[in-house]
Amino acid sequence: MPPSVPSLPRRVARMLRTSLFAQVACALVLGILVGKLWPDAAAELQPLGDGFTRLIKTIISPLVFCVVVVGIAKAGDLKAFGRIGLKALIWFEVASTLALLIGLLAANIVQPGSGMNVDPAQLDTSAVDAKTGGGSLPSTTEFVLNALPQSFIGAFAENELLQVLILACLVGAALLHLGHTKVPKVLPAIEQAQEVIFAIVGFIMRLAPIAVFGAMAYLVGQYGLGVMETYAKLIVLCYAAAALFIALLAVALKTVTGLSLWKFVRYIREEMLLALGTASTESVMPRVMQKLRRAGARDDAVGLVLPTGYSFNLDGASLYLSIGTLFIAQAVGVDLSLSQQITVILVLMLTSKGMAGIPGSAFLALSATASSLGAIPTGAVALLLGVDRIMDSMRVVTNLLGNCVAVFAVSRWEGALDADKAKKVLDGEIVFVAEDEEPEKPGPREPELKKPESEEAAAVPARTTKETAAEAS
């Protein structure tokens, strides 16, 4: 008798119960509908997304610390770790500069701001001040000093990833120097703490659909969909430029590692959808670290390259900044010369590196660029207030893929990538299982399978008459 096929409603219910991707996708659609139909009520749902992001942020620093320390200690080579860091920085600089150039080229060809003839004096710049909180981007010296920790606990309390990375490198180096004989219990304790953190990640990820629903409902309810009509040319240009950049990333990944970016996107589709819904790459960082490790990238490479990329490799932000600078110049009728556009590239190469974690950082970088040129009124930055939130999806996807490709490329460059395992994982031959869901590992010896009764009977030696008589007596 052939097995019965479950009905469609049962299959859908099972998918919603077991698939995080399906749950997040449904939450995304529901959030858009609620934001469109009940915008006033939807505007009150922002805490759902913000609360989820806060929970994730609490575990990012200890997770990065544990992964890096364990990676260094197990690799047993601090010099290799330094080479990984240097190669990552080189990759980041090349990638972000390429993103800036693509953005400038696209803006020069399409000219999204031409014909707007905006009078900067009529723009309300107070909204920009509210967006940035009156802050400013750090100078190069301040950026370097801020990367150095003042306090061991303070680096974790303030979620300063670069400071946590430096502390992790120091602790990993100390473990290598002392050896396992002098501190035999430290490394196992850190490994166990890492397992606990990944279990916490699993708990928090169950709240992801609620977070996506709240964040998307707030976005649509607060900003509406009408802004897409007003800035349609700019939005389409930014997303098209991002698509071109991602296509180049795919070519680079295939050339360097032989892996397919599109298969990788399918592999992290749950995290991609969650990042889109919450407009935050930080919300998926712990889970992406898990998946990169399971896909054959060595722990020390994942632990160093991915967190560092969150500060140094903002490819999506670089695209947006270069296009946005030319957009506001064209909107106010300023024609930038070639030398001025080269200045834009140089300024953004510096300002884009200090953006991570600063409120309204895109507007601060744009304002700094406008001030350095002296030709664009700083107040013209307010033109992008209405469209900035719509660009988050483009920035999030491009930043996330850019950093993941960097992990694979640098790992391959350094010999820290199991390419065969990576291909099997991306092809679906090895199914990803979250570490908090992983079944118990067997002991050093596999338990023997129970033999059939006939075999057991055959294996038992025949009892002699003398043995039976002895037992009876």
Side-chain angles (χ1 to χ4, degrees), residues 126-148:
S126 61
V128 177
D129 296 332
K131 184 84 172 177
T132 59
S136 61
L137 291 176
S139 64
T140 303
T141 304
E142 291 173 337
F143 180 75
V144 173
L145 288 177
N146 290 338
L148 302 177

Side-chain angles (χ1 to χ4, degrees), residues 82-158:
R83 290 196 305 269
I84 290 174
L86 178 61
K87 291 173 181 178
L89 291 177
I90 294 173
W91 180 277
F92 294 157
E93 193 57 49
V94 172
S96 57
T97 303
L98 177 62
L100 289 171
L101 290 172
I102 289 175
L104 278 183
L105 182 62
N108 275 296
I109 294 173
V110 179
Q111 306 227 339
S114 61
M116 294 184 69
N117 301 320
V118 175
D119 183 3
Q122 296 180 357
L123 295 173
D124 182 12
T125 59
S126 61
V128 177
D129 296 332
K131 184 84 172 177
T132 59
S136 61
L137 291 176
S139 64
T140 303
T141 304
E142 291 173 337
F143 180 75
V144 173
L145 288 177
N146 290 338
L148 302 177
Q150 290 182 326
S151 163
F152 200 101
I153 303 300
F156 291 87
E158 297 174 7

Side-chain angles (χ1 to χ4, degrees), residues 84-98 245 248-249 251-253 256-257 305 312-313 315 401-410 413:
I84 290 174
L86 178 61
K87 291 173 181 178
L89 291 177
I90 294 173
W91 180 277
F92 294 157
E93 193 57 49
V94 172
S96 57
T97 303
L98 177 62
F245 181 78
L248 294 176
L249 281 180
V251 173
L253 182 64
V256 176
T257 66
V305 178
F312 286 93
N313 193 40
D315 298 327
L401 289 180
N403 286 324
C404 291
V405 169
V407 171
F408 280 124
V410 174
W413 196 0

Side-chain angles (χ1 to χ4, degrees), residues 35-255:
K36 180 65 176 176
L37 298 176
W38 301 284
D40 294 335
E44 302 298 324
L45 297 176
Q46 185 181 14
L48 295 178
D50 290 348
F52 176 81
T53 305
R54 285 192 175 201
L55 286 174
I56 287 290
K57 283 184 176 181
T58 60
I59 57 175
I60 286 179
S61 292
L63 175 61
V64 169
F65 178 82
C66 291
V67 170
V68 172
V69 171
V70 172
I72 293 177
K74 286 190 172 181
D77 188 357
L78 195 60
K79 291 182 179 179
F81 197 73
R83 290 196 305 269
I84 290 174
L86 178 61
K87 291 173 181 178
L89 291 177
I90 294 173
W91 180 277
F92 294 157
E93 193 57 49
V94 172
S96 57
T97 303
L98 177 62
L100 289 171
L101 290 172
I102 289 175
L104 278 183
L105 182 62
N108 275 296
I109 294 173
V110 179
Q111 306 227 339
S114 61
M116 294 184 69
N117 301 320
V118 175
D119 183 3
Q122 296 180 357
L123 295 173
D124 182 12
T125 59
S126 61
V128 177
D129 296 332
K131 184 84 172 177
T132 59
S136 61
L137 291 176
S139 64
T140 303
T141 304
E142 291 173 337
F143 180 75
V144 173
L145 288 177
N146 290 338
L148 302 177
Q150 290 182 326
S151 163
F152 200 101
I153 303 300
F156 291 87
E158 297 174 7
N159 259 333
E160 295 288 347
L161 277 186
L162 292 180
Q163 295 183 11
V164 171
L165 276 173
I166 290 176
L167 290 174
C169 292
L170 292 174
V171 173
L175 288 177
L176 285 179
H177 177 70
L178 293 173
H180 298 300
T181 55
K182 291 186 178 180
V183 282
K185 296 182 180 180
V186 175
L187 185 59
I190 295 176
E191 287 183 297
Q192 291 171 13
Q194 178 178 288
E195 295 298 322
V196 171
I197 294 170
F198 276 126
I200 296 173
V201 172
F203 298 152
I204 297 175
M205 287 299 291
R206 295 174 186 174
L207 303 174
I210 299 174
V212 169
F213 169 75
M216 189 54 60
Y218 170 76
L219 169 62
V220 177
Q222 183 76 13
Y223 297 94
L225 300 176
V227 68
M228 298 184 71
E229 298 177 4
T230 306
Y231 291 92
K233 193 175 182 180
L234 176 61
I235 294 172
V236 170
L237 176 62
C238 286
Y239 278 83
L244 173 61
F245 181 78
I246 291 173
L248 294 176
L249 281 180
V251 173
L253 182 64
K254 190 71 175 178
T255 303

Side-chain angles (χ1 to χ4, degrees), residues 24 28 212 215-216 219 239 269-281 283-284 389-398 400:
V24 172
L28 196 69
V212 169
M216 189 54 60
L219 169 62
Y239 278 83
R269 60 185 181 276
E270 296 170 351
E271 291 72 28
M272 289 283 289
L273 202 57
L274 177 57
L276 282 170
T278 58
S280 169
T281 53
S283 64
V284 298
R389 188 64 178 79
I390 305 295
M391 297 299 185
D392 277 343
S393 299
M394 179 274 292
R395 290 192 294 243
V396 162
V397 170
T398 311
L400 181 59

Side-chain angles (χ1 to χ4, degrees), residues 170-460:
L170 292 174
V171 173
L175 288 177
L176 285 179
H177 177 70
L178 293 173
H180 298 300
T181 55
K182 291 186 178 180
V183 282
K185 296 182 180 180
V186 175
L187 185 59
I190 295 176
E191 287 183 297
Q192 291 171 13
Q194 178 178 288
E195 295 298 322
V196 171
I197 294 170
F198 276 126
I200 296 173
V201 172
F203 298 152
I204 297 175
M205 287 299 291
R206 295 174 186 174
L207 303 174
I210 299 174
V212 169
F213 169 75
M216 189 54 60
Y218 170 76
L219 169 62
V220 177
Q222 183 76 13
Y223 297 94
L225 300 176
V227 68
M228 298 184 71
E229 298 177 4
T230 306
Y231 291 92
K233 193 175 182 180
L234 176 61
I235 294 172
V236 170
L237 176 62
C238 286
Y239 278 83
L244 173 61
F245 181 78
I246 291 173
L248 294 176
L249 281 180
V251 173
L253 182 64
K254 190 71 175 178
T255 303
V256 176
T257 66
L259 302 178
S260 168
L261 182 62
W262 316 122
K263 290 181 180 180
F264 178 74
V265 170
R266 184 181 61 189
Y267 174 58
I268 63 164
R269 60 185 181 276
E270 296 170 351
E271 291 72 28
M272 289 283 289
L273 202 57
L274 177 57
L276 282 170
T278 58
S280 169
T281 53
E282 289 185 335
S283 64
V284 298
M285 181 178 173
R287 185 87 165 193
V288 170
M289 289 181 74
Q290 272 185 288
K291 288 200 166 182
L292 287 169
R293 293 167 66 216
R294 293 299 177 89
R298 209 167 64 194
D299 284 7
D300 53 347
V302 174
L304 179 62
V305 178
L306 190 65
T308 307
Y310 272 60
S311 295
F312 286 93
N313 193 40
L314 304 175
D315 298 327
S318 298
L319 270 170
Y320 173 61
L321 289 174
S322 56
I323 294 175
T325 301
L326 262 67
F327 169 78
I328 59 177
Q330 293 162 4
V332 298
V334 175
D335 185 18
L336 296 180
S337 64
L338 178 60
S339 61
Q340 287 175 317
Q341 293 192 32
I342 292 174
T343 303
V344 168
I345 291 286
L346 296 175
V347 172
L348 290 178
M349 283 174 63
L350 295 175
T351 56
S352 62
K353 298 297 182 290
M355 289 174 55
I358 300 176
S361 56
F363 291 97
L364 292 172
L366 287 169
S367 299
T369 306
S371 299
S372 65
L373 291 175
I376 306 174
T378 306
V381 174
L383 282 170
L384 293 172
L385 279 170
V387 75
D388 182 69
R389 188 64 178 79
I390 305 295
M391 297 299 185
D392 277 343
S393 299
M394 179 274 292
R395 290 192 294 243
V396 162
V397 170
T398 311
N399 288 344
L400 181 59
L401 289 180
N403 286 324
C404 291
V405 169
V407 171
F408 280 124
V410 174
S411 298
R412 181 70 170 182
W413 196 0
E414 184 56 31
L417 176 67
D418 187 342
D420 292 335
K421 181 181 179 182
K423 288 179 180 178
K424 289 180 179 179
V425 169
L426 298 189
D427 288 337
E429 296 178 25
I430 300 177
V431 180
F432 170 78
V433 179
E435 297 192 14
D436 60 292
E437 301 171 358
E438 192 172 23
E440 285 187 36
K441 295 179 181 179
R445 292 185 61 184
E446 293 287 339
E448 295 182 2
L449 295 175
K450 183 175 178 60
K451 297 179 181 179
E453 293 183 5
S454 59
E455 292 183 18
E456 290 184 10
V460 176

